[in-house]
Each structure stands twice: as structure tokens, then as C-alpha cells.
Amino acid sequence: MTSASTSTPARDFSAFFSRFGWPENRGRLPFCVGHRGASGHETENTLTAFRRAAELGAEMWEIDTQLTADGIVVISHDDHLERVFGKDLHISQLSFADLRAAVPDVPSFEEIAALARETDCGLYVELKRAGTGPLCWQHLKDMEQRFACFGSFDPAQVRELRELNCDYPLAVLIRVGADPHAAGDEASADILHLCWEKASDTPQEFVTDELIERAFAEGREIVLWHEERPEVLADIMALPVLGICTNLPDLMRVRENHGSERPAKRVTSHDVARAAGVSRAAVSRAFTPDASVSEKTREKVYQAAKDLGYRVNYLARSLTNKRSDLVGLVAAGLDNPFRTQQVEHLARALIARNYRPILLPTSKEADSATVIGQLLHYAVSGVIVTSDAPPSHICEECAAEGVPIVLINKGEDYPLVDRVLSDDHNAGHIAADHLLQAGATRLTVIAGTRISYSSRRRAEAFLARAKTLGVEVSHVSVAQNDYRNGRDIVPALLDNGINGIFAVNDYMACGIIDGLNDAGRNDGSIKVIGHDDIPQASWGAYELTTFLQPCDIQAEQVIDLLSSRILDPDAVARVEFTPVTLIKRRSA
């Protein structure tokens, strides 16, 4: 028998987290699971114990379920209240109202679930009383509270949830001497929870390489018993297990570089309510836009929050509201100054409308469906795409989940997907007219049309207008519409006698002007027009004639479409055009 404490490699839990919708980067692994809360410090299975566990750094809480006579799930290890509360009463024989009157400290499951949302903690629900599993599952499902799992020593209770198609991870708790793999098979479990704390003075020796490797091969994770012996805890924390239970979370989450100093207490809405002398509901309303609350109360809450250093947890709030105020911004090409300017305006406009932008940069070659799929895990209110348009299947998935997508300068036409387009047709026509008026006789448009819908539209409009006017015109294709390609294309333009250039964006136009400087030809004889009016366009080195694509107007158009589709998700797809204006400078 080989101990696993030194030889088994680290475990990658990302597939497990993705499968069950658990939050990534929630904390260090193995998770610290507060056993009945911080029961080594406070009375077990009480709100005080669970709040203390959160303060001490526990990522999850192990809770035990019982059922009152009138069908309310409450949290208690024992049905008989004698051991913990000194009351010769049985939970199963009392109504919830009678239980609350006799022993106020026994919390309901809904109260514990709400506290977990508030403190960003997960729930490790041990099912004691039969019938509590489906009730707890339904509540968490209704609240979209994904960071949770269900387990029991009774395989039948675990199988019941499996047969009901419960989409949360299921655990089977395993006593000393039982075969963990057989128990896992019997319960059809996702997690083997080894309750071996009393197996010996060194129970870690029983968690062998062979046990771990077989569990992983069978698609199961491992959670370990509650442990308070520092030397044993140190060994099992090195194992590739999902979580470890403990009555003393501070033993697992000692602050680095501060010995055994406790973590600073996290300020909660309860603290703000007490300091302001108001209810928790008033605190919530004070931080909710357009909610009904007096100005005096709002000021008291804001001042208390400022004094205490309180911050609203918007992600936790989204679990209650079933939709966050997050809006995803998917953007590629952030090396282009226009794209960074565009994203900044979108972000500022979203904040002004009480949304919270979350930026997911992607590459020009990447499939935007991947990052949009990631955003759906966060209950976003919508997605704005400035990079390549997403494939149809991800648009359909977003529509099915009620998450609107707005595309900027994209040509693909999808049902229920709105678009905002720059007036590229007008820009192409005006560019051709202006170059002719400036004295150019041989025109060209520089554009990577294969990679960009807006570039293709501008180029097509420019070519069509020039041909209508009977002017010699050509199209020079580039791999990317960027500075380097603009600078590198100049020698070929000079060889062909081009004297009127329309570059489909300013980023590339600046490269062209620098290329003309390199060749000693930036003397005004070759006219250059760009598009976007980036800040560099007005610099003395460029003085670039260009088209203003107003990012502020565009951002408002985008968010108007987004907001209206949130209210009417089945509206027909709409297209709005952002006007452009020619800005005349020295280059043309």
C-alpha cells in the first residue's frame, strides 16, 4: 500500500468546475469545507457558525438537513435537540414555527442558502432526513445557486437525486471499512467522501495512490473527513482532493506571512445595516438603481458603507436576481487605437446605464463562441461583440437563455441579433469624391476585405464611386488592416504611380504616411485619407484627413438596442447606422 501524500501529481479540477457550473478561481484547493460551519469556535450548524467559517476563509460549508413536521428543511445534525441545545425535543415532531419558538438558533435551509450567497460560500449539503434532497435541490435551482453539492451516507438518497436528473455534483459518504469504489457505484456518485478521521492516528496513510488513481479513472473526485490535527492536516492538504472538512477553518487558511493571525473580517450588508440603524432590505434598496428608498436613508447607508469599507457583491446579487448587471465586451485587435477608444466609450456608457462591463479580449483568429460561452456562466445581461461575428449556434444559445447579443460593424444577419453599422457606404463615396477634388488622378483603396466586413463595405463603395466617375482605380489587398501593412505597402504604391489613397482605417493610414516619409515622398503630391479619426490622426506628423466614426454615438446606439432587447427578447433583428463625418486635414 502506497501513501499518496508525496507521489500523486496535482489535480486539474477545471472540467469538474465547468461541468457543474462552479466558480473558477474561487480559492485555494483543496477547498476548506467548514464542518457544520466553524463548529470548533461556535455552536454547530448555526448562522453564527457559518458566518464565522466564511470569515476564517472557508470556501464551502458542510451542513446537515432535517425536516420539520410541516415539511420545512432545517439545518441540524440531530433530529433530537438534546446534545446541542439541551432540549428534549425532536425536530420531526415540531412545526417550523414551534421549533423557532423553542430553539431560535436552528436555521432553515433557505436562511443558510441566502447567507452562502451573501458570503460567496458553497454548500456541501449532507442529507440526513430522507426527502430533504429534492427540496434543497429545487431551492438552489430556483436561485441559480450553482456552487453546491449533495451527499449522504445513505446511497438511496443520492440515487434518488440522480434519478431525478439532478445536475449538481453528488457525493457518497463512506465509513471506515467500506469499499469506497463499491459505494460510489451503488450511489452513482460524482464524489467519494471518505469519513476516516477515526481510522487511526495517521488516517492519511489509507488514502493511497491506488485509491486516488482508480477514483479519477472512474470520473470521481475525493473529499476528506473533518480534520483538526495539524500534522495530519498538513499531509492531506498536499493530496489532489477537491475538499477537506474541518471544524477549525483557520487551521487550513492561516494568513501567509502572518503566522496564525486571523484574516480580517469581511464586511457584510448586516454590518452596514447595524451601523446605519436600518434593515438589510434598506441597504439592498440603497444600492439598487431606481429602488424605492428615502434620500435620508440612502445617505446613512452610503456613509456607513464608506466608514466600514463595504462593497456590494454584484455576482452574489445576480444569483438572487437571476440576472447580473454584467455585460460582456468581446473585442479583438486592441493594438488598433480605434478599437481601444471604441471599447472605452462602450464601457463608460454601460457604467452610466448601471451595467458593469466585463472585457474578454480575443484574437483575430479565435472563435468568439468560446469567450461568449464563458460569459454565459456569469448570468450576464448581454454581450457586445466588436471582433469577428460569432457563429450562429452561440447566437441561438444566447437567445435561448435570454441573453441579447449586439454586433458592431458585422455583416452576418441572425434572428434576434441586433447590429450597429458605421455608414461605410457614405464614407467610400465621399472618400473618392474628395480625393478627386484634391487633384488625385490614380486612386486606390488599401483594405484587407477578407478579414473585415466594414473594410469590405468601405472598399466596395469607394471602388463603385470611382468607376461611376470614370476614374482609374484599384484595390490593394493586405493581410491585416494595421500599421505595419500600411507602411510596407508604400513602395508598391509608388511603383504604380498612385497619387490618391483611401486606407480603410487610420491605423493603416498612419503607416502609409510614415512609409511616404521613409521614401521622401510626403510632400503633399500623394493624397491620403483614413477612417476612424483616432487621436494620432491629428498629430503634427500625420495631419490625416479622415472620417470621424463617433464612438460615443455608437455606444449609445448599442446599449439602446441591448436594453430594449432585454425587455423584448423576441423583437425582430434590427440594424442601426452610425453617421460618419469627413475631417479635413493636410494629408488630403
Side-chain angles (χ1 to χ4, degrees):
M1 179 172 66
T2 305
S3 170
S5 60
T6 58
S7 56
T8 304
R11 177 71 164 160
D12 179 5
F13 294 99
S14 57
F16 179 92
F17 282 29
S18 176
R19 175 185 173 193
F20 293 109
W22 280 21
E24 297 183 10
N25 301 321
R26 175 61 187 84
R28 285 176 288 170
L29 289 163
F31 280 153
C32 175
V33 184
H35 184 243
R36 308 177 194 172
S39 55
H41 295 289
E42 309 287 353
T43 302
E44 67 179 53
N45 277 324
T46 60
L47 286 167
T48 302
F50 294 120
R51 186 177 295 280
R52 184 69 177 276
E55 292 170 359
L56 294 175
E59 287 87 5
M60 301 190 79
W61 309 328
E62 187 269 351
I63 66 177
D64 303 288
T65 61
Q66 299 290 345
L67 199 64
T68 64
D70 55 347
I72 303 299
V73 180
V74 296
I75 305 306
S76 174
H77 182 273
D78 307 329
D79 178 51
H80 191 198
L81 295 169
E82 178 67 35
R83 178 180 64 87
V84 178
F85 297 104
K87 299 281 188 177
D88 187 17
L89 299 169
H90 291 267
I91 292 172
S92 58
Q93 297 173 4
L94 299 171
S95 69
F96 180 71
D98 289 341
L99 172 64
R100 180 54 55 89
V103 188
D105 286 337
V106 176
S108 70
F109 175 79
E110 292 190 3
E111 289 173 324
I112 295 302
L115 182 61
R117 292 193 297 274
E118 178 190 325
T119 56
D120 292 335
C121 287
L123 295 178
Y124 197 101
V125 184
E126 182 182 346
L127 306 173
K128 292 293 187 185
R129 177 73 181 273
T132 56
L135 296 173
C136 295
W137 171 40
Q138 185 63 51
H139 177 75
L140 294 182
K141 186 167 60 171
D142 289 345
M143 301 307 295
E144 296 186 4
Q145 195 167 347
R146 296 298 314 171
F147 191 18
C149 66
F150 299 93
S152 180
F153 283 104
D154 179 6
Q157 293 203 56
V158 182
R159 278 200 316 275
E160 177 187 29
L161 288 174
R162 177 68 70 206
E163 290 166 3
L164 290 171
N165 295 317
C166 176
D167 56 349
Y168 286 69
L170 303 178
V172 60
L173 279 65
I174 301 158
R175 294 184 172 89
V176 177
D179 179 347
H181 308 294
D185 290 341
E186 182 182 2
S188 188
D190 306 296
I191 297 171
L192 304 180
H193 184 144
L194 309 178
C195 300
W196 293 352
E197 62 271 13
K198 297 179 181 178
S200 76
D201 290 337
T202 55
Q204 65 269 39
E205 294 177 356
F206 296 97
V207 188
T208 63
D209 285 342
E210 292 81 1
L211 186 158
I212 291 173
E213 290 168 4
R214 180 172 171 185
F216 291 172
E218 293 176 352
R220 292 181 175 127
E221 304 299 344
I222 297 172
V223 170
L224 300 183
W225 59 85
H226 75 84
E227 185 56 66
E228 290 73 47
R229 291 163 287 188
E231 66 280 4
V232 177
L233 194 57
D235 278 353
I236 62 178
M237 284 179 67
L239 296 174
V241 297
L242 179 64
I244 299 169
C245 294
T246 180
N247 297 330
L248 300 171
D250 39 326
L251 290 181
M252 281 187 69
R253 293 297 181 250
V254 174
R255 289 181 64 186
E256 295 179 2
N257 303 321
H258 288 78
S260 60
E261 181 184 345
R262 283 183 185 163
K265 180 180 181 294
R266 181 177 180 270
V267 180
T268 69
S269 60
H270 287 286
D271 301 318
V272 176
R274 282 194 295 269
V278 300
S279 66
R280 271 190 66 211
V283 174
S284 177
R285 290 195 300 272
F287 286 103
T288 301
D290 303 322
S292 176
V293 62
S294 72
E295 192 58 35
K296 181 179 179 181
T297 297
R298 191 187 303 276
E299 289 176 2
K300 288 169 60 178
V301 169
Y302 282 6
Q303 187 60 51
K306 181 179 179 182
D307 293 343
L308 295 172
Y310 173 72
R311 295 289 184 273
V312 177
N313 188 325
Y314 290 109
L315 283 177
R317 176 182 287 181
S318 73
L319 292 173
T320 301
N321 297 339
K322 301 188 178 182
R323 179 68 66 210
S324 74
D325 53 6
L326 296 175
V327 171
L329 285 177
V330 181
L334 292 175
D335 56 329
N336 183 339
F338 173 73
R339 185 53 52 78
T340 57
Q341 182 175 278
Q342 182 186 56
V343 168
E344 179 182 2
H345 277 83
L346 286 166
R348 289 182 182 279
L350 284 167
I351 291 170
R353 301 276 197 102
N354 294 313
Y355 294 109
R356 301 291 177 265
I358 176 170
L359 174 63
L360 272 76
T362 183
S363 67
K364 296 181 177 69
E365 299 80 15
D367 179 2
S368 56
T370 301
V371 292
I372 295 173
Q374 293 170 351
L375 285 168
L376 293 180
H377 289 295
Y378 295 91
V380 292
S381 289
V383 179
I384 299 169
V385 181
T386 70
S387 60
D388 289 340
S392 58
H393 74 85
I394 196 69
C395 292
E396 292 166 0
E397 183 177 345
C398 288
E401 297 198 20
V403 179
I405 294 184
V406 180
L407 309 179
I408 303 178
N409 289 336
K410 307 302 166 195
E412 291 78 359
D413 186 8
Y414 298 134
L416 308 179
V417 175
D418 301 312
R419 293 182 292 151
V420 173
L421 306 177
S422 180
D423 192 354
D424 298 317
H425 183 81
N426 196 31
H429 279 208
I430 293 173
D433 289 346
H434 186 75
L435 286 172
L436 288 177
Q437 293 166 8
T441 55
R442 299 191 66 184
L443 309 185
T444 193
V445 57
I446 316 297
T449 55
R450 183 182 60 83
I451 58 171
S452 169
Y453 172 75
S454 55
S455 296
R456 183 163 64 251
R457 280 171 46 88
R458 291 167 198 168
E460 289 172 351
F462 180 84
L463 292 168
R465 180 61 174 171
K467 289 175 182 176
T468 298
L469 298 172
V471 181
E472 184 177 353
V473 64
S474 63
H475 168 215
V476 177
S477 181
V478 291
Q480 298 289 345
N481 298 309
D482 59 11
Y483 176 90
R484 176 54 56 189
N485 276 279
R487 192 163 188 166
D488 289 347
I489 203 67
V490 168
L493 300 178
L494 295 176
D495 289 344
N496 289 320
I498 299 297
N499 60 8
I501 302 169
F502 177 35
V504 291
N505 67 31
D506 289 352
Y507 192 26
M508 187 162 54
C510 289
I512 292 170
I513 290 177
D514 283 342
L516 292 173
N517 276 323
D518 294 341
R521 293 294 305 276
N522 190 19
D523 54 7
S525 61
I526 299 175
K527 313 299 182 182
V528 181
I529 296 180
H531 194 290
D532 296 337
D533 197 31
I534 62 176
Q536 291 83 349
S538 64
W539 290 2
Y542 301 112
E543 285 291 325
L544 178 64
T545 294
T546 185
F547 289 92
L548 170 64
Q549 182 180 177
C551 292
D552 54 346
I553 294 175
Q554 187 179 76
E556 293 299 329
Q557 291 174 310
V558 168
I559 300 169
D560 283 344
L561 289 173
L562 187 77
S563 300
S564 62
R565 185 159 294 280
I566 290 172
L567 298 174
D568 186 7
D570 296 324
V572 297
R574 297 157 295 177
V575 178
E576 292 203 5
F577 289 89
T578 305
V580 296
T581 304
L582 182 66
I583 307 297
K584 298 178 184 179
R585 298 191 181 100
R586 178 170 52 85
S587 72

